[in-house]
Amino acid sequence: MIPQKKLHDWYQIHKRDLPFRKKKQAYPIWISEVMLQQTRVNAMLPLYESFIKRFPTPEALASASEDEVLAHWKGLGYYSRARNIRKAAIFIVQNYNGSFPKDLNSVLQLPGIGNYTARAILSIAYDLPLAVLDGNVKRVLSRYYGYTENILGSKADSDLQKKADGFLNTDHPGDHNQAMMELGATLCLPESPKCLLCPLTDSCFARIHQKTSEIPLREKDKKQIQLIAEIWVLFYKESILLVREPKMRFLKEMFHLPYGFTGEIPGDAYEPTPFFLSLRETLSDPDSKPIGQFKHTITHHKMVFSVLRSRLKEKDRIEGLTKKFGVESKWVTLSTLDTEFPSSLASKVKKILLYLEP
């Protein structure tokens, strides 16, 4: 039996029962694929079901405000993904009457959709013969073919995409792609792969040559960047200030608590903004001490945040600063902080505040 047939038969028996697999509909498949880019299936499922219930169609997503979409994305992180799917939904409604396009070039024009996501949606929803290449598939293909070069890089993407294309089961492209991803997620694991249960074990190079611990080769180029930051909680009566600064290194499209990097700066992109510097100067108090501290990671950035709190007697001066520097602002309550600022940063700050003021 050819390997692709073995894989297909294995998938029909062992595939996980996931809600976005029940129907071949492009919209829910698209949402699930974007959510899964940075999130494990078990963590993503309840958030996915809630999101689809609130935004069941591209039209529903396109007509929602950005803040509402971000609020329903809370817990998934990497919020640019949520902004992009909303932008893409608006484009689909305006240009395709709410129907997801059916050709690769058109899909690649949508905000936030790259080669992998486009191929996954089109193959699964429309059975187009397009092979996918994600982290799980890279690992499966590398071991199967004995690919020993570093898989982190454009050359590996090109090499392994060709292998994926050649290995594709063109009779069942959607099932094949899902089977490859399922295999990587459940059997062909990074550590201690379950080779005896794998449908491709008889022809897998790494298994035959006992090199599953050596393949694939992953050599990261980026070093961890260490950053020291302050994040400010400004109270006016029962309200807390959130701002949106387009020049920020992170969170630039989201309303957030004012923050800035204050330690050794690794480059201009991390310099505190003029607004934040003026804010610190305005709030300067020799007796002001952090009320708490926490660690936070974004991609390869390791951050240590000090939380500072200030209770304002009046807010005109602060609002004057936001106007002076063209910074959007709004006042929210502590109970809605992590809804209005949908990031784990808000949750960490709120935890410190609630600990101090039960």
Side-chain angles (χ1 to χ4, degrees), residues 229-235 240 257-260 262 276 279-280 283-294 305-311 349 352-353 356:
E230 287 179 359
I231 189 163
W232 282 82
V233 186
L234 305 184
F235 281 97
I240 297 172
L257 294 167
Y259 80 94
T262 57
F276 181 75
L279 182 70
R280 287 182 80 208
L283 300 170
S284 62
D285 181 345
D287 296 323
S288 180
K289 294 181 180 179
I291 60 173
Q293 195 175 75
F294 61 86
F305 277 90
S306 293
V307 182
L308 293 101
R309 176 179 57 183
S310 180
R311 296 191 177 277
V349 171
I352 291 172
L353 292 171
L356 293 175

Side-chain angles (χ1 to χ4, degrees), residues 103-139:
D103 67 280
L104 184 60
N105 288 334
S106 296
V107 176
L108 288 172
Q109 300 306 309
L110 298 175
I113 296 187
N115 191 48
Y116 159 75
T117 305
R119 287 168 172 263
I121 298 166
L122 293 174
S123 64
I124 297 169
Y126 303 134
D127 278 323
L128 296 188
L130 299 166
V132 301
L133 191 69
D134 71 347
N136 284 325
V137 177
K138 281 184 179 182
R139 185 167 58 256

